[in-house]
Amino acid sequence: MSTNKLKNPTLIKFCYIAIGGALGILGALLPWMYAIIPLLCIGIAVYYVDIKKIVEILFWVVVVAMFLGAYLSVPGHESIYLFRLLLPIHVFLLLITQDFDIENLKKYRAYFILLLLYFVASILSLCWAGSVTLGIRYCYFIFEICYLFVICFYHLNSEKQFMRLFQLITIFFSLNLVVGIIETILGWHLPLSGSNVYITTTSQFQPTGFLFNTNDYALLLAILYPVAANYLLEFKRKNLGLILYIVVTVMTIYVVVSTYSRIGMLAIGISILTIFFFQFKEKGIIICLLQAPIFLTIAVFSSFGKNLTDIIYSSFTGKGTSTSARGHLYELLIQIIQDSHFIGIGAGNVPRQLNTLLIGYAEDSSEAYVTGHNFWLETIGNIGVIGFIFCIGIFTLYIIQLLYMKSSGKWHLPLLIWISFMGASIALSTILEKRFLWFMIAFGICYIKYHSKKEIRNE
């Protein structure tokens, strides 16, 4: 009898109202009791709503928030991203669903182990870190990276999910491209663009998209381009897809060259050539031979072509000071590694030590730091060779598994993502905070695994 009463909707609603009223009365005496009301509402929502569906929707919201970064943040506090606010909520809901596809997640066992060991090595290095505050910040970013890998492994497990992500990446890539074109032509930038801060002879017309730095923007386009180009080439309306692919490719070349990013130009060049010849195969050679005179004429005789050619030339020949400065940074990074006897000086402490070596004395302020522009050397300097082995193991395993994709028609996509990531790791000031790079690597891993499994099923 009691069981039936408890299942009576009217009785349950009455109980909720009674509890809410009681909390309201008690809150008048003890104000902290009001805090229980939102918790009660969350509890009711968790009980009645399809949590698995919410987790699924939240995943896509997290992806959008990750790409838009500071533009979806608390006004006046740009470091408090929506991404960071959603992270604990998504983790909590993911844990309470208790509906894990264990068989699917088992495929990623090796990656889980390497990520965990990489994270643990970073935490352990705090024991000898000069600044624990910097170390905690470093470890937090690694936690975010682990989180991105986990949600990709959990959600990207079907053709439908991949197609949805392809669409989202293409839309975001196109938006960034349009913003970049406007910045390059008009010299107008979004409020949080670094081109509004760093005033140089070229910064006014250097695009940054939804990011702060031009190099970051160039590598963002480079790592997203293979996905966007592939999506456009697979349009059901072939002619429309081909036209959009050509327009997007030309715009991408123009914008990336305008960033003056050497690695960005190389990465996008490799991606464009790979996708072009993969798509058109033998016809591609004929197309290139037929179109070569037109491209040469544009490059030599048009102001547009001359401008791009001059930028490319100056980017690779006029940055001698920048190149030598980076070479000096690498020497200092090697010195830090050797002085630490290859165990590292503690997570997140290399930038501050680099600053000390450059100016010749230690500054008390933790704000004083210099990034090494080399993720791999910085990793060894921060957490030592052992932590580095766990980190590099992720990317080594990525390539090994890519080789086992056999005859899959899409093997070039994860390969181009890997190449762009490797370029970013030595081109950008730091990649630990660049969530879009790590997300794309996680996406590449899922893509490899899915297509490898698909091939096995077909056999």
Side-chain angles (χ1 to χ4, degrees), residues 111-156:
Y111 289 105
F112 280 128
I113 293 171
L114 288 169
L115 284 166
L116 179 61
L117 292 173
Y118 178 37
F119 185 51
V120 170
S122 302
I123 293 176
L124 290 177
S125 72
L126 297 179
C127 297
W128 58 85
S131 170
V132 176
T133 303
L134 291 174
I136 291 173
R137 180 177 179 274
Y138 185 94
C139 292
Y140 169 75
F141 282 122
I142 294 179
F143 169 74
E144 278 193 353
I145 291 167
C146 294
Y147 164 74
L148 287 173
F149 274 72
V150 169
I151 63 172
C152 283
F153 295 165
Y154 179 81
H155 289 283
L156 299 180

Side-chain angles (χ1 to χ4, degrees), residues 258-300:
S258 299
T259 64
Y260 287 77
S261 172
R262 290 172 291 185
I263 297 295
M265 292 180 205
L266 289 172
I268 202 67
I270 292 170
S271 290
I272 289 172
L273 289 174
T274 302
I275 291 172
F276 178 79
F277 285 110
F278 183 88
Q279 179 69 23
F280 299 103
K281 299 180 174 63
E282 292 82 3
K283 293 180 182 177
I285 299 173
I286 299 172
I287 293 171
C288 283
L289 291 173
L290 293 174
Q291 298 298 321
I294 299 174
F295 291 133
L296 287 173
T297 302
I298 293 173
V300 175

Side-chain angles (χ1 to χ4, degrees), residues 321-334:
T321 304
S322 173
T323 302
S324 60
R326 291 201 182 195
H328 182 52
L329 284 176
Y330 291 177
E331 291 174 2
L332 294 178
L333 284 171
I334 293 171

Side-chain angles (χ1 to χ4, degrees), residues 103-116:
E103 289 304 315
N104 178 58
L105 294 177
K106 277 183 180 178
K107 299 183 299 184
Y108 305 104
R109 186 187 294 113
Y111 289 105
F112 280 128
I113 293 171
L114 288 169
L115 284 166
L116 179 61

Side-chain angles (χ1 to χ4, degrees), residues 92 95 132 146 151 167 206 249 281 334 419 453:
F92 172 72
L95 291 174
V132 176
C146 294
I151 63 172
Q167 292 173 347
Q206 283 184 268
T249 300
K281 299 180 174 63
I334 293 171
I419 290 172
K453 184 179 179 181

